[in-house]
């Protein structure tokens, strides 16, 4: 079988998604840790347009952009399907994956803001999370239905990254009382063995995001 | 047509996103009913079918709504398998098409919109960004087409052709109103010949809208921008 290589970054949720998908499909791969401040020739060669991780290299062919990689993995390794068979259900899954991607920056804006701006960011995030919970997840156990699917993988950052974002930003948005279904989903997702065994180290992530938060705050103070 | 198989498209004539879906339906030879929406006074039906975004296009098939133009295009491709394919079968080729479609959608389209909706220094900056992105796209096309001549006719437009067409199909109108020539054959020979080819495609010509109407749309958007800043 052609060699599979993943260029990633330990703190990147986009990287983690690809790891989960590869592991759920039982695909063997070599992982290459990239330093975003010191990009390798390999990365620049395989993602010349965006110069970002993750990049999947399969038999020498490069596939950048996590959502594109996820679909590629689904099509190339059909075992343990992560998308429904039915075209309409697939469209629904893709709709929510797109929604999550488009709104991720807004939901995480609490991280880049302070004071009144942060208050506004909390309100915006709450609104969007409510839409995701009520219309995306609904009564389902997973976005994918009874089992984990690409939707859960794409929203996975909500399950482990967001609590770190909240912690370092000193806010609480995704609380259990306001979002009971999302909270149940988070617990269920974290119990999936592939997810449980492939989460970045919590303390390390806190330290990493704390430093980035300080940078954002410094920038905000510069403009005052 | 049986109610279950009925295809209805909710849209507005001026929307390039709606146009994408119409092109796809025509290429596949799928009969459909078009429902013109009033975006200022959105219908209850639209709000019911697209509660999240409240936008067009919305495709209704078998009574079920599908929203977001790119999601709709993939749905059409997966549901009506006879007729030309909108995406290649091979996963790697598909990934490349997805990559450049995403590039056009996120990097080009938004910046072209910014050119329409800004002025002065901000507009100059946006124009510069568009040219940078077009350069990257031109480079990307060399890799994407890889020596194979990319023929476009009414028969074989794919998702990337459709999305690019929805942006630069109106390039002459954009030039006329904005005074900027994005599709410059000297700077971007591959891209220019590609754009020319899909503008000439029967399905695109048939769907229009005609040049004068496009000019009017861009003039309207431009006036709105200038009025807003004068206020």
């Amino acid at each position: 079988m052609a060699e599979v290589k993943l260029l990633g970054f330990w703190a990147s949720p986009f990287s983690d998604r690809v790891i989960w998908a590869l592991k759920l499909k039982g695909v063997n791969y070599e992982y290459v840790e990239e330093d975003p401040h010191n990009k390798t020739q390999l990365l620049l060669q395989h993602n010349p347009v965006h110069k970002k991780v993750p990049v999947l290299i399969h038999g020498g062919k490069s596939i950048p952009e996590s959502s594109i990689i996820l679909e590629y993995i689904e099509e190339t390794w059909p075992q343990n399907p992560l998308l429904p068979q039915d075209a309409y259900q697939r469209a629904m899954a893709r709709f929510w994956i797109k929604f999550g991607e488009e709104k991720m920056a807004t939901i995480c804006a609490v991280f880049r803001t302070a004071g009144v701006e942060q208050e506004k960011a909390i309100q915006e995030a709450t609104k969007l999370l409510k839409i995701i919970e009520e219309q995306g997840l609904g009564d389902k156990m997973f976005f994918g239905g009874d089992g984990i699917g690409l939707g859960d993988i794409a929203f996975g950052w909500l399950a482990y990254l967001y609590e770190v974002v909240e912690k370092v930003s000193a806010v609480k948005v995704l609380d259990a009382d306001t979002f009971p279904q999302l909270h149940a989903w988070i617990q269920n997702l974290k119990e999936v063995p592939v997810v449980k065994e492939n989460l970045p180290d919590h303390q390390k992530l806190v330290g990493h995001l704390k430093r980035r938060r300080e940078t954002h705050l410094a920038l905000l103070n510069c403009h005052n | 047509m049986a109610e279950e198989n009925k295809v209805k498209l909710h849209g507005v004539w001026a929307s390039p996103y709606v146009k994408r879906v119409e092109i796809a339906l025509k290429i596949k030879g799928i009969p459909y009913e078009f429902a013109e929406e009033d975006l200022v006074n959105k219908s209850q039906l639209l709000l019911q079918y697209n509660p999240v975004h409240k936008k067009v296009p919305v495709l209704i098939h078998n009574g079920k709504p599908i929203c977001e133009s790119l999601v709709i295009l993939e749905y059409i491709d997966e549901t009506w398998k006879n007729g030309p394919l909108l995406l290649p079968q091979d996963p790697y080729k598909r990934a490349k098409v997805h990559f450049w479609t995403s590039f056009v959608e996120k990097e080009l389209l938004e910046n072209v919109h910014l050119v329409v909706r800004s002025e002065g220094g901000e507009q100059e900056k946006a124009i510069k960004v568009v040219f940078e992105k077009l350069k990257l796209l031109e480079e990307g096309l060399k890799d994407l087409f890889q020596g194979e001549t990319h023929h476009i006719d009414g028969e074989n437009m794919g998702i990337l052709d459709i999305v690019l067409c929805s942006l630069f199909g109106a390039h002459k109108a954009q030039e006329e109103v904005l005074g900027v020539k994005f599709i410059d054959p000297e700077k971007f020979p591959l891209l220019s010949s590609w754009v020319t080819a899909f503008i000439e495609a029967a399905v695109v010509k048939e769907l229009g809208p005609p040049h004068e109407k496009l000019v009017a749309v861009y003039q309207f958007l431009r006036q709105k921008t200038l009025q807003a800043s004068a206020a």
Side-chain angles (χ1 to χ4, degrees), chain A residues 25 55 143 146 185 188 206:
Chain A
K25 298 275 189 180
V55 181
F143 284 90
D146 296 325
W185 169 75
N188 290 328
V206 171

Side-chain angles (χ1 to χ4, degrees), chain A residues 121-139:
Chain A
I122 294 174
Q123 282 175 15
E124 275 305 307
T126 305
K127 236 171 48 188
L128 291 170
L129 288 168
K130 252 305 145 188
I131 293 174
I132 292 169
E133 183 185 62
E134 285 173 2
Q135 301 191 45
L137 183 63
D139 292 327

Side-chain angles (χ1 to χ4, degrees), chain A residues 85-116:
Chain A
Q85 294 288 18
D86 172 67
Y88 182 72
Q89 294 303 327
R90 288 161 86 89
M92 292 302 102
R94 288 182 179 127
F95 176 90
W96 286 106
I97 291 169
K98 193 165 193 272
F99 186 83
E101 282 191 352
E102 283 168 11
K103 305 299 180 186
M104 188 179 183
T106 310
I107 295 172
C108 292
V110 293
F111 181 66
R112 301 183 298 276
T113 51
V116 172

Side-chain angles (χ1 to χ4, degrees), chain A residues 183-199:
Chain A
H183 252 260
W185 169 75
I186 289 172
Q187 304 321 311
N188 290 328
L189 188 69
K190 281 179 165 171
E191 284 307 307
V192 173
V194 161
V195 173
K196 200 173 186 172
E197 291 154 21
N198 292 286
L199 288 173

Side-chain angles (χ1 to χ4, degrees), chain A residues 61 75 88 90 94 98, chain B residues 65 68 71 78 92 94:
Chain A
K61 297 182 284 200
E75 288 154 17
Y88 182 72
R90 288 161 86 89
R94 288 182 179 127
K98 193 165 193 272
Chain B
E68 294 291 281
V71 174
E78 289 178 357
Y92 180 58
R94 277 172 94 92

Side-chain angles (χ1 to χ4, degrees), chain B residues 20-31:
Chain B
R20 292 173 181 180
V21 179
E22 286 194 274
I23 294 175
L25 290 168
K26 291 256 180 228
I27 289 171
K28 292 279 199 183
I30 301 164

Side-chain angles (χ1 to χ4, degrees), chain A residues 5-203:
Chain A
K5 210 178 231 177
L6 173 62
L7 309 182
F9 176 54
W10 70 270
S12 161
F14 306 102
S15 237
D16 290 334
R17 290 176 178 174
V18 178
I19 292 173
W20 294 352
L22 288 169
K23 290 209 183 261
L24 283 164
K25 298 275 189 180
V27 176
N28 289 324
Y29 66 97
E30 182 196 333
Y31 179 77
V32 177
E33 182 74 33
E34 284 283 337
D35 175 357
H37 300 295
N38 205 6
K39 294 175 184 183
T40 63
Q41 264 311 110
L42 198 63
L43 176 60
L44 300 175
Q45 178 196 333
H46 286 282
N47 191 359
V49 174
H50 299 298
K51 307 176 176 55
K52 285 183 178 173
V53 293
V55 181
L56 191 77
I57 309 172
H58 182 208
K61 297 182 284 200
S62 353
I63 302 110
E65 306 250 312
S66 64
S67 52
I68 296 173
I69 298 173
L70 291 180
E71 291 252 8
Y72 177 84
I73 291 172
E74 175 68 3
E75 288 154 17
T76 307
W77 293 281
Q79 66 271 26
N80 193 12
L82 299 171
L83 275 178
Q85 294 288 18
D86 172 67
Y88 182 72
Q89 294 303 327
R90 288 161 86 89
M92 292 302 102
R94 288 182 179 127
F95 176 90
W96 286 106
I97 291 169
K98 193 165 193 272
F99 186 83
E101 282 191 352
E102 283 168 11
K103 305 299 180 186
M104 188 179 183
T106 310
I107 295 172
C108 292
V110 293
F111 181 66
R112 301 183 298 276
T113 51
V116 172
E117 284 304 311
Q118 195 186 50
E119 287 297 322
K120 274 202 312 218
I122 294 174
Q123 282 175 15
E124 275 305 307
T126 305
K127 236 171 48 188
L128 291 170
L129 288 168
K130 252 305 145 188
I131 293 174
I132 292 169
E133 183 185 62
E134 285 173 2
Q135 301 191 45
L137 183 63
D139 292 327
K140 304 195 297 287
M141 188 168 163
F142 292 102
F143 284 90
D146 296 325
I148 180 174
L150 284 193
D152 303 278
I153 294 174
F155 276 114
W157 61 274
L158 274 180
Y160 70 94
L161 185 68
Y162 202 58
E163 63 192 12
V164 180
V165 165
E166 289 172 312
K167 190 179 195 157
V168 308
S169 313
V171 298
K172 191 65 195 157
V173 187
L174 187 42
D175 65 277
D177 290 329
T178 317
F179 300 99
Q181 274 130 287
L182 270 179
H183 252 260
W185 169 75
I186 289 172
Q187 304 321 311
N188 290 328
L189 188 69
K190 281 179 165 171
E191 284 307 307
V192 173
V194 161
V195 173
K196 200 173 186 172
E197 291 154 21
N198 292 286
L199 288 173
D201 180 86
H202 180 83
Q203 279 310 115

Side-chain angles (χ1 to χ4, degrees), chain B residues 196-207:
Chain B
T196 308
F198 58 58
I199 287 177
E200 289 302 307
V203 63
V204 174
K205 272 184 150 160
E206 186 194 325
L207 283 170

